[in-house]
Amino acid sequence: MTIGKFAQFILQFISLFLLVRLLKPEDFGIVSAAGVVISLAKLFSLIGVGPVLIQRPHITKSHIKTGFTITLIFSVACASIIFFMSDFIADLLNIKETSLVLKLITIIFIAKGFSTISESLIQRDMNFKIIIKIDIITFILYSSSAILLALLHFNYWALVLALIIQNVLKAILLYIYKPYPLKFQINKKEFKEFIFFGGGFTISKTANQLAKELDKLVVSRSFGAYTLGQYDRAYQLLVAPANLFTKIIDAVLFPAISKMQTQKEKIAYIYEMNLSLISFLTIPSSILMYYLAEEIVYAIYGSNWISIVPIFKILIIGLMFRTSYRISDSYIQALGLVYQYSVIKIIYAFLILVGAWYGKNWGIEGVSIGVLLGILINYLLMTILTIKNLKISIKKLILAHKPVFYAILMAFLSIIIMEKITSFLNLLFMIEILFTFGIYIIFLLLLYLFNSEKFYGEHFLWIKNQMMIPLRNFINK
């Protein structure tokens, strides 16, 4: 599973590397604007049916049939609303091209309506390998279709058509692996379970999704497709490492949690390690990426995208905040604090909207600063709620972050050394990136070899031992 997640990350990177060289910023902006509407409508169309099927101790055929009927009804309803309101939405977004895009992309809702039940049942069976395999297969089809269509000068339609192909194929593959009776049936008891639990789930997820999308709505309305495309690509450079670090945490720590008893003391200990590891990975990385911002943008996106460097520099400051609050999200939901979670996410969405709207007076950089502040406050609120419920002392949490201070020092030393090297040698941007991160890693290894327990502490050593388990298993195979 871990290998599959990294494979997905590499494939996404390769696809992104090629597509940004074939398409223009406005192409990404048009699809991103349509994506704001689609991602929000998806949550309503699924009405939390999946989580009910996954989390209930026992489900019957009646649950499956009722869930399928509800999902399909809501999916068709949302698709119809978007189809007939596409012109109005396009005016709201201030991008007229999204009207026809939204009409066509409603096919995704129908596909999702059929695939949700199969995907939820597969997750319920804990068969994540199948989902990873299907995700990889469909993403390869998406990226190859998008690249081929972009080469044929389909512009933004390359991304739209590839997205439709990906979702339709995924629905087919999921159903082939996990078929279920396609029968329309609504039972009162099961219907109430889906609506009450799924409704609460939808509210919290919608607020969280709004927080992720409202800034794009402001950028689209205020600056148009070109600037939205630039902002979206800069934001993706933040999201990519955040997702990677979260996957590392999932792969290393969450299997260990599942073997422990569900006691708050033990959960609190794991949470401390989660935050410590996230900070250890993200804070020095954000420092190095801020320093190498121009080189990173040039290496990944090419010279045509160099204007997004100021946006990227602002957003990358929030790498730790964005990654850490996602960890807190998981713990809060696991503790069953759905209503507190929903309130914070509503506040988060409001902060993003206000920050982006007020920040637009200073251009796209002002929007980025407003979004950064919203992410920071959400991180603080989620962390406070989590440590309060797990009864973790602030002092203990700070001490768990001791290795982070050494890592930060090593990051700054790496930058100083690299600046000395570049003052004598004119290195290629890719070599400079590799050298800077290489020097940083060498410093960390030297600290580890010198006195690992003194510098890194018990949390880091426990994490290291957990990381060695899958590595040994892989070598033994």
Side-chain angles (χ1 to χ4, degrees):
M1 184 176 173
T2 305
I3 295 172
K5 287 179 178 180
F6 277 101
Q8 280 182 288
F9 177 79
I10 297 299
L11 287 172
Q12 288 170 357
F13 177 82
I14 294 170
S15 174
L16 181 65
F17 181 86
L18 294 172
L19 285 172
V20 292
R21 285 161 171 78
L22 296 171
L23 299 173
K24 299 175 183 177
E26 51 261 45
D27 295 326
F28 289 100
I30 292 166
V31 177
S32 179
V36 171
V37 181
I38 297 301
S39 60
L40 291 172
K42 262 187 190 179
L43 290 171
F44 286 105
S45 69
L46 302 180
I47 199 67
V49 166
V52 175
L53 292 176
I54 295 168
Q55 295 183 13
R56 273 194 62 83
H58 304 286
I59 59 171
T60 63
K61 289 182 178 179
S62 182
H63 280 102
I64 295 172
K65 292 174 184 177
T66 302
F68 166 66
T69 305
I70 293 171
T71 302
L72 197 59
I73 289 172
F74 275 88
S75 296
V76 172
C78 284
S80 301
I81 291 169
I82 290 174
F83 186 90
F84 291 110
M85 292 188 66
S86 59
D87 291 338
F88 171 78
I89 296 170
D91 289 338
L92 181 66
L93 294 168
N94 195 29
I95 302 175
K96 63 179 182 179
E97 291 88 350
T98 55
S99 176
L100 186 55
V101 171
L102 287 170
K103 282 184 172 71
L104 187 60
I105 216 166
T106 50
I107 295 170
I108 291 175
F109 287 96
I110 311 302
K112 197 69 178 174
F114 280 98
S115 66
T116 297
I117 304 300
S118 293
E119 188 169 11
S120 300
L121 293 175
I122 294 170
Q123 289 179 349
R124 181 181 176 85
D125 296 337
M126 304 290 286
N127 200 341
F128 298 110
K129 287 184 179 179
I130 291 297
I131 293 177
I132 291 291
K133 286 179 181 178
I134 290 174
D135 283 343
I136 290 174
I137 291 169
T138 53
F139 186 80
I140 290 172
L141 183 64
Y142 162 79
S143 56
S144 57
S145 300
I147 291 166
L148 176 61
L149 291 169
L151 286 168
L152 294 173
H153 305 292
F154 272 68
N155 301 323
Y156 59 89
W157 285 111
L159 298 173
V160 174
L161 294 173
L163 193 63
I164 293 171
I165 292 169
Q166 179 189 26
N167 280 271
V168 171
L169 178 64
K170 185 175 181 178
I172 294 170
L173 292 177
L174 286 169
Y175 186 78
I176 289 172
Y177 182 80
K178 198 72 176 180
Y180 62 91
L182 299 175
K183 294 183 179 180
F184 294 98
Q185 177 183 313
I186 292 183
N187 290 323
K188 189 175 180 181
K189 179 187 173 184
E190 285 77 8
F191 180 79
K192 285 183 178 179
E193 289 179 19
F194 283 121
I195 294 300
F196 286 121
F197 178 84
F201 177 85
T202 301
I203 290 170
S204 61
K205 285 291 184 181
T206 300
N208 194 38
Q209 193 64 37
L210 274 170
K212 294 178 181 178
E213 304 291 353
L214 283 174
D215 53 336
K216 295 177 185 175
L217 177 60
V218 172
V219 174
S220 173
R221 179 116 184 118
S222 304
F223 304 106
Y226 183 86
T227 304
L228 176 59
Q230 289 185 311
Y231 178 79
D232 184 61
R233 292 304 91 188
Y235 198 86
Q236 289 305 311
L237 283 181
L238 165 67
V239 171
N243 288 342
L244 179 61
F245 291 137
T246 306
K247 287 173 182 177
I248 292 172
I249 293 294
D250 288 342
V252 175
L253 292 180
F254 281 2
I257 296 172
S258 64
K259 295 176 184 177
M260 292 183 168
Q261 297 177 11
T262 55
Q263 297 176 359
K264 282 194 175 181
E265 294 80 6
K266 292 184 178 180
I267 295 174
Y269 183 78
I270 300 295
Y271 179 71
E272 289 172 21
M273 283 190 287
N274 270 269
L275 288 192
S276 176
L277 179 58
I278 282 293
S279 300
F280 183 84
L281 291 170
T282 56
I283 296 178
S285 294
S286 62
I287 292 170
L288 294 173
M289 292 172 78
Y290 183 93
Y291 166 70
L292 295 165
E294 189 171 336
E295 288 79 6
I296 290 171
V297 170
Y298 196 92
I300 298 174
Y301 288 165
S303 58
N304 292 334
W305 293 82
I306 208 69
S307 58
I308 72 169
V309 169
I311 309 171
F312 176 60
K313 278 190 167 185
I314 295 168
L315 294 175
I316 200 62
I317 296 170
L319 178 60
M320 189 274 285
F321 306 132
R322 191 181 191 283
T323 313
S324 292
Y325 87 65
R326 289 178 62 183
I327 297 297
S328 297
D329 284 359
S330 300
Y331 278 84
I332 290 300
Q333 292 180 72
L335 292 170
L337 304 173
V338 181
Y339 291 104
Q340 293 95 320
Y341 176 80
S342 298
V343 169
I344 290 177
K345 292 307 168 185
I346 290 170
I347 294 171
Y348 179 34
F350 177 75
L351 289 169
I352 292 295
L353 177 61
V354 172
W357 188 260
Y358 186 72
K360 71 182 176 62
N361 296 309
W362 289 271
I364 192 63
E365 288 85 357
V367 173
S368 303
I369 293 171
V371 170
L372 175 61
L373 292 174
I375 292 173
L376 169 61
I377 295 171
N378 178 57
Y379 157 75
L380 292 172
L381 292 174
M382 288 303 302
T383 304
I384 290 168
L385 180 61
T386 309
I387 64 175
K388 179 183 176 182
N389 282 275
L390 293 178
K391 295 180 172 57
I392 301 173
S393 70
I394 299 295
K395 181 181 177 181
K396 194 175 181 182
L397 194 63
I398 292 172
L399 288 174
H401 283 70
K402 185 177 70 170
V404 180
F405 298 104
Y406 296 118
I408 291 171
L409 177 61
M410 297 304 103
F412 278 113
L413 282 175
S414 302
I415 290 171
I416 292 169
I417 292 172
M418 202 63 220
E419 284 184 339
K420 296 292 183 183
I421 293 173
T422 52
S423 64
F424 291 103
L425 299 173
N426 187 19
L427 299 174
L428 294 173
F429 52 86
M430 187 60 77
I431 300 297
E432 187 174 349
I433 295 170
L434 294 173
F435 269 32
T436 307
F437 276 93
I439 293 168
Y440 168 66
I441 292 169
I442 290 170
F443 275 134
L444 292 183
L445 289 173
L446 289 174
L447 276 180
Y448 176 75
L449 293 172
F450 181 70
N451 194 329
S452 59
E453 188 170 354
K454 178 181 177 182
F455 288 106
Y456 292 128
E458 60 172 313
H459 286 106
F460 182 84
L461 294 177
W462 189 90
I463 292 166
K464 184 209 74 171
N465 292 331
Q466 293 300 316
M467 290 179 72
M468 292 303 294
I469 293 172
L471 181 60
R472 291 193 197 101
N473 293 337
F474 179 75
I475 292 171
N476 291 333
K477 287 181 182 179

